[in-house]
Amino acid sequence: MSNLSASPFLSPLALSIEIAVMATLIAGVVGVAVASLLANVRFFGRDALDALFCGPLVLPPTVLGYYLLVAFGRHSFIGGVYEHVTGNSIVFTRTGAVLAAAVGALPLIVKFSRAALESVDPLLVPAARTLGASPLRALLTIQIPVAARGIAAAVMLGFARSLGDFGATLMVAGDMPGETQTASLAIFDAIQANEEGKAVVMIVLLTTIAFASLYLANKLIARGHER
Amino acid sequence: MSTDAEARSLTVSVDHRVGDVAISVSFTAKPGITVLFGPSGSGKSTLLAAVSGLLAPDSGTVRLADTTWLDTKRGVSMPVHRRRVAFVFQSPALFPHMTALENVMYGMSKNVPHDTNVERAKKLLATWDVAALAARMPSRFSGGEAQRVALARAFATSPDVVLMDEPFSALDDVRRRALAKRVKEVVEELRVPAIFVTHSVREAETVGDHVLLLENGKITREGTPSEILTNLVAE
């Protein structure tokens, strides 16, 4: 990792991957939990919850970044508690970058996971329930495993999305080389500084990773439909 | 009917509206097979779902002996997974990511040693003539094989009540009759109330100890298979 950090091309890329992996883990757990709730439980405010989690898909990144600053900034309740407990701020740190990337990935994970969960044979969960499974056991042992390929595809798309986050990351985490400067931000800085060669290396690498994720996600979805 | 049979009876009184059909039924199912016979859309499957707890009816009560499963007036509704019902659906609904053996073991008690459950599951598969499928995945089963595994899985829970919703409708007549006879034997052995939904007169005659004729959500006649079904064919 120390060699990667020394390289002007690979340091932001390594940071992007690190942030995207952490963001995908968080968005994966939260997103699949929310998708499970939306797919299986009818409750007042379900559509509002769906809109809340899918909003980042349609909001301008700067608007999303502003909301995150308000919700997680040093003067917010969550930001204050976090700083009190850890001694660090959420915003303008790597944690902020992970948060921004996770929020950006959530809509894709929620939408595609929900679709995968809803496409499971509607008799399987009732069958599990009559065999003594609680709703949670039926979800964890039947519905999620049967929808696993679709959920994995959703997570792959979420990873690709968080890898390329720009606007919200800039608003929430800033653009500090070695700390919060991801590949997307470094590309922007390189173009601004007329260092196109430096930018192209990162563009090619990011494009390759993003397309590989997309290809894998499509493969998973196709194999899921073949079941 | 013995006192033991009375003690194991399932008492159902349910009112529920689905679309244009207003279901309003009261009956008692004693140990043995009660056939719920009627045309499509008469509310048979809805009634079965209400008994199992998969559907919350508008109002009513469901009791197994002294245990109340549902009493809408008192706000009692035992969750599906605590009712100990064996539900055999129209389609086998086997878990596609599990082998036949794993499907059968899914509902078995976790307090019993694993090896004991494995042995019991293998015996159940043998009972339903599908022992050879134990290690295979459901996607490779024929319709008849899948329904036999589904029956083995349903009966693996040592149920207090058996519910079957046209379980053999996708099978040919020969397999249908053979499985119906086997179901009758197994239910007699278990000595539990079983409700068998069908709209086949022959199937109802083969399995039924008692027949309820359901039309437009109401029980219009009840009696032995010969009393109800002979008249029906004559009409």
Side-chain angles (χ1 to χ4, degrees), chain B residues 104-189:
Chain B
V104 175
M105 288 175 67
Y106 187 84
M108 288 183 169
S109 170
K110 301 287 174 281
N111 300 324
V112 173
H114 180 76
D115 291 347
T116 311
N117 277 343
V118 171
E119 283 313 307
R120 208 176 134 240
K122 283 180 178 170
K123 273 185 193 162
L124 276 162
L125 285 169
T127 302
W128 294 97
D129 299 328
V130 279
L133 305 179
R136 286 171 56 189
M137 304 302 278
S139 60
R140 298 176 181 277
F141 299 167
S142 68
E145 288 172 338
Q147 200 57 287
R148 285 169 189 270
V149 175
L151 284 158
R153 182 180 70 176
F155 285 104
T157 57
S158 308
D160 290 335
V161 171
V162 178
L163 305 173
M164 287 171 280
D165 189 2
E166 302 193 45
F168 312 133
S169 57
L171 307 179
D172 60 61
D173 270 357
V174 178
R175 288 198 179 113
R176 220 170 156 149
R177 228 170 304 154
L179 278 182
K181 275 183 186 165
R182 184 68 58 84
V183 162
K184 193 168 172 63
E185 288 163 11
V186 172
V187 170
E188 273 169 10
E189 230 169 80

Side-chain angles (χ1 to χ4, degrees), chain A residues 121 123-135 137-138 141-143 145-146 227, chain B residues 52 54 79-81 85 87 89 91 93-98 103 106-107 110 153-154 157:
Chain A
D121 178 346
L123 274 184
L124 294 187
V125 169
R129 298 295 315 282
T130 60
L131 291 166
S134 66
R137 185 179 167 221
T141 60
I142 304 300
Q143 201 177 13
V146 173
R227 286 190 76 105
Chain B
S52 70
L54 289 171
V80 186
H81 60 283
V85 294
F87 203 130
F89 299 89
S91 96
L94 295 178
F95 306 136
H97 56 304
M98 296 180 186
N103 263 279
Y106 187 84
K110 301 287 174 281
R153 182 180 70 176
T157 57

